[in-house]
Amino acid sequence: MERLQKVIANAGIASRRKAEELIKEGRVTVNGATVTELGTKVTNKDIIKVDGKQIEKEKKVYYLLNKPRGIITSVTDDKERKTVVDLIPCHERIYPVGRLDYDTTGVLLLTNDGEFANILMHPNDKVEKVYIVKVKGIIKGDAINTIKNGVTVDGISYERAKVKLRKTDYKTNTSMLTVTIHEGRNHEVKKMFESVGFPVLKLRREREFIFDLKGLKSGEYRKLTPKEVAIVYSLEKGKKNE
Ligand code: URA
């Protein structure tokens, strides 16, 4: 479901503001009925007309990027730095699904399909986010168990996490772990480890749901297959049937 004014704007007919005016002026119909309320939600199947002419909806596109370090996860930047959107040359108005920090690398999905993005951003036990984490220090079982049970930092409770120690290196005084979570709170993994005294030095998202980095070097991207998109949509159907 997407807001009517956004769908009209994305069809390239008008700016978002102009689209809102068109709606308020009663010039827009959805499935034959005039709609004057801003924020009305529509789906891909709805037929939208402006002044009696059906709009061509923007084609939905889906990308998987191996995000490099040093790029911000947003559509635009007020400091005019490069953003993840600049790494994918396409005509559609894509945006990232969730966010990765400036210095975090790995799996990042981008799309212009709000429904698809919402399904993945809504916490769901089936949507695992798997991170490879390098921390400063030699981490021990008690700190790992604390994170496994869920930590609270500055009044924010972070979910329980699956944590697996991969290796410790006494020479460099670092530890590597695999962490699996389901939410996407700001700086979630960093906050979890900082709270037990192990600052994160490097963070890479290895997988989100079924999407991993196979075949993608840093900065490379690929389109999702129709089957992959359908699998994401099937998550929503699964929820409705519960
Ligand atoms: N957790 C973080 O701390 N940073 C990220 O970029 C992703 C998850």
Side-chain angles (χ1 to χ4, degrees):
M1 299 278 265
E2 269 181 323
R3 287 169 165 258
L4 181 56
Q5 58 264 41
K6 184 171 176 216
V7 175
I8 295 171
N10 285 357
I13 292 176
S15 66
R16 187 80 67 95
R17 186 170 300 165
K18 178 79 183 137
E20 288 176 356
E21 278 170 25
L22 292 171
I23 295 168
K24 283 197 267 185
E25 287 165 9
R27 293 165 63 184
V28 178
T29 60
V30 177
N31 304 326
T34 303
V35 171
T36 52
E37 198 170 322
L38 294 180
T40 300
K41 297 273 180 71
V42 289
T43 69
N44 282 344
K45 293 191 191 106
D46 290 318
I47 294 176
I48 300 158
K49 290 185 182 172
V50 175
D51 293 335
K53 192 164 176 283
Q54 190 167 337
I55 64 165
E56 295 267 347
K57 284 182 223 149
E58 191 177 64
K59 194 172 99 233
K60 301 292 182 207
V61 290
Y62 310 86
Y63 294 95
L64 167 55
L65 169 72
N66 182 353
K67 179 192 170 296
R69 195 181 312 277
I71 301 269
I72 61 161
T73 304
S74 69
V75 176
T76 53
D77 179 40
D78 47 16
K79 294 188 199 126
E80 297 197 1
R81 287 174 298 182
K82 223 178 180 187
T83 77
V84 286
V85 166
D86 296 321
L87 299 179
I88 301 177
C90 72
H91 299 299
E92 292 80 11
R93 295 173 218 205
I94 55 170
Y95 47 85
V97 177
R99 65 187 305 279
L100 288 179
D101 294 335
Y102 184 72
D103 54 355
T104 301
T105 60
V107 171
L108 184 69
L109 294 161
L110 297 102
T111 185
N112 57 352
D113 182 347
E115 212 168 336
F116 175 92
N118 282 340
I119 295 170
L120 286 171
M121 281 180 352
H122 197 268
N124 180 325
D125 281 351
K126 293 192 187 111
V127 180
E128 289 186 334
K129 293 166 184 157
V130 182
Y131 293 89
I132 307 292
V133 192
K134 182 178 185 182
V135 297
K136 187 162 173 235
I138 304 299
I139 198 163
K140 296 273 162 47
D142 52 348
I144 291 176
N145 284 333
T146 303
I147 292 175
K148 276 187 180 169
N149 291 328
V151 290
T152 300
V153 187
D154 299 333
I156 300 175
S157 298
Y158 293 92
E159 61 183 315
R160 298 163 73 94
K162 271 192 232 160
V163 185
K164 200 167 159 249
L165 182 62
R166 293 160 71 98
K167 73 171 185 198
T168 47
D169 186 337
Y170 283 85
K171 254 200 223 150
T172 56
N173 189 35
T174 57
S175 311
M176 295 277 286
L177 306 101
T178 306
V179 175
T180 304
I181 54 176
H182 301 92
E183 295 173 346
R185 292 172 185 269
N186 262 358
H187 316 304
E188 181 157 0
V189 175
K190 290 177 185 168
K191 291 257 171 75
M192 285 172 169
F193 281 90
E194 263 161 31
S195 77
V196 290
F198 292 89
V200 170
L201 299 175
K202 271 189 181 173
L203 187 58
R204 182 173 79 236
R205 182 149 71 194
E206 277 286 288
R207 179 166 66 79
E208 176 170 7
F209 188 39
I210 56 167
F211 304 104
D212 62 26
L213 296 170
K214 230 170 270 161
L216 293 177
K217 296 199 187 99
S218 175
E220 287 184 347
Y221 63 90
R222 68 168 175 88
K223 281 192 170 174
L224 301 193
T225 65
K227 190 168 171 204
E228 287 171 326
V229 175
I231 292 173
V232 171
Y233 269 97
S234 73
L235 279 172
E236 199 183 38
K237 284 201 200 93
K239 242 187 347 207
K240 279 185 191 142
N241 295 337
E242 271 167 18

